[in-house]
Amino acid sequence: MSIYMEQIEQLVVLQKVDSEMITLERILEDAPKQLRSLQEKQAYLKQQQDVIQEKVDVLMEQKSRLEGEIENDTQKVKKSKNKLMMVENTKEYHAMMREMDTMEKMNRSREEERANLLADLSDLEGRKEALQGDIDSLEETITAQQSTLDQELAEKRARIEILEKEKRKASEAVPAPILTRYNFIRDRIPNPVIVPVSEGVCQGCHVVIPPQAFIDLQKGEQILSCPNCLRIIFWERHFSGND
C-alpha cells in the first residue's frame, strides 16, 4: 500500500473517531439538560404549591376570625335573651330585640362567608394535593433518570477515553501539515471532512471536480482538497478494488 493510501485511510479512521467523539460529547452536554429541565419543572410546581399554601393560610386566618366573631355574637345573643325576660319597659325590650336581630343577621352573613371560605379551602387543598402528586411523580422520574444518566455518562466517558487513544494513534500516522489541514477544515466545515469523489463529483458538496484536479486525484500521489468546499477528497476507486 502506498504512503498516500495509508494516509487517506488514517484520515478516514480519524474522521470516524472524531465523529463518534462529537456525538458522545453532545450527549454528555445535552443529557444533564434534560434532567435539569425536570428538576426546574419540579421546583416550579413546588413554588406553585407554596403560593397555594399562602392562600390557604390567609383563608384559615379569615375563617378563624369569622368563627370567633360568630361565637362572640352568639354568646351575646344568648345573654340578651336571658336578660330579655327581665326587661321592664317596651322601649328597652324593642331595643334589645333590634340588637339581637342585627347580631343574628350579621352571623348569618358570616356563616355564608364561612361556607364560601370552606369551599375555597377545599378547592385549594385539592389543587395542592394534585400538585403534590405531580411533584412525587417527577421525583420518581428524576431519581430513575439520575441513576440511568450516571451509568450512561460513565459509559460514554469511558468510550471517549478509548476514542482519544485511537485518535492519537491515527494522528501519529498522518504528517503534521496534513493533520493541521484536516483540523483546520474540521473546525470550519460540518462533517464529513474527508469525502470520496465519484464519477468526478465531490460527494461533500456535489460539485464536479475540475478535469486537471480529477486527473491529479486519480494518480494518488498527494492529498488534495475539493476546490469548491475545501474538504479533503480521494478517488473512490482507490478503495473499491477497481482500477
Side-chain angles (χ1 to χ4, degrees):
M1 181 183 292
S2 68
I3 294 177
Y4 164 80
M5 297 281 280
E6 290 178 356
Q7 291 175 353
I8 289 292
E9 283 192 345
Q10 289 305 312
L11 284 172
V12 171
V13 169
L14 187 59
Q15 174 172 264
K16 182 179 178 181
V17 169
D18 276 336
S19 295
E20 186 176 352
M21 286 181 68
I22 289 171
T23 299
L24 291 175
E25 286 166 355
R26 188 175 294 120
I27 291 173
L28 288 176
E29 181 181 352
D30 292 344
K33 291 180 181 178
Q34 298 172 4
L35 187 61
R36 281 197 297 273
S37 177
L38 289 175
Q39 291 170 333
E40 288 171 359
K41 183 177 180 181
Q42 187 188 47
Y44 173 76
L45 292 180
K46 287 181 178 179
Q47 288 177 352
Q48 294 299 106
Q49 196 177 47
D50 289 341
V51 170
I52 289 176
Q53 185 58 52
E54 288 177 2
K55 292 179 180 179
V56 168
D57 292 341
V58 170
L59 292 182
M60 288 298 292
E61 288 180 6
Q62 292 178 1
K63 175 176 170 291
S64 178
R65 175 182 56 78
L66 280 172
E67 289 174 343
E69 291 173 351
I70 290 171
E71 177 62 23
N72 186 51
D73 278 4
T74 298
Q75 293 300 322
K76 287 182 179 179
V77 169
K78 285 182 179 180
K79 289 179 181 179
S80 294
K81 285 181 178 179
N82 291 333
K83 292 180 180 179
L84 197 60
M85 303 301 296
M86 302 172 62
V87 173
E88 296 180 354
N89 60 72
T90 304
K91 182 177 181 182
E92 186 178 355
Y93 178 86
H94 286 300
M96 290 184 67
M97 287 295 294
R98 285 195 298 271
E99 182 181 3
M100 286 189 295
D101 185 57
T102 298
M103 286 189 289
E104 287 175 343
K105 285 181 179 178
M106 285 291 294
N107 270 358
R108 284 195 294 272
S109 176
R110 289 180 184 125
E111 288 288 357
E112 290 177 3
E113 187 177 352
R114 180 176 176 275
N116 291 332
L117 281 176
L118 289 174
D120 290 341
L121 280 169
S122 177
D123 177 64
L124 288 172
E125 290 293 348
R127 288 164 59 189
K128 191 171 72 169
E129 186 177 345
L131 280 172
Q132 187 61 52
D134 292 340
I135 290 169
D136 292 342
S137 177
L138 273 173
E139 183 63 35
E140 292 178 5
T141 302
I142 289 169
T143 300
Q145 283 202 10
Q146 182 68 66
S147 177
T148 303
L149 180 65
D150 290 342
Q151 182 179 349
E152 288 182 351
L153 295 186
E155 292 172 356
K156 299 292 188 293
R157 293 189 184 100
R159 178 58 182 163
I160 286 177
E161 288 183 7
I162 294 173
L163 290 171
E164 285 175 342
K165 293 178 182 178
E166 293 180 6
K167 181 176 180 177
R168 284 195 294 271
K169 183 178 178 181
S171 297
E172 289 170 359
V174 179
I178 296 174
L179 184 62
T180 299
R181 192 201 311 180
Y182 166 82
N183 288 327
F184 178 85
I185 298 170
R186 187 173 65 83
D187 291 340
R188 289 161 178 77
I189 297 177
N191 278 337
V193 174
I194 304 162
V195 295
V197 170
S198 176
E199 302 298 330
V201 176
C202 169
Q203 297 305 299
C205 63
H206 304 290
V207 170
V208 176
I209 301 296
Q212 186 56 52
F214 188 39
I215 292 172
D216 293 338
L217 184 67
Q218 290 174 310
K219 292 178 181 178
E221 296 176 349
Q222 58 181 321
I223 304 295
L224 299 175
S225 293
C226 171
N228 181 61
C229 68
L230 303 181
R231 289 180 172 88
I232 295 173
I233 55 176
F234 61 89
W235 191 30
E236 65 171 358
R237 293 195 182 183
H238 282 153
F239 295 90
S240 66
N242 298 322
D243 296 327

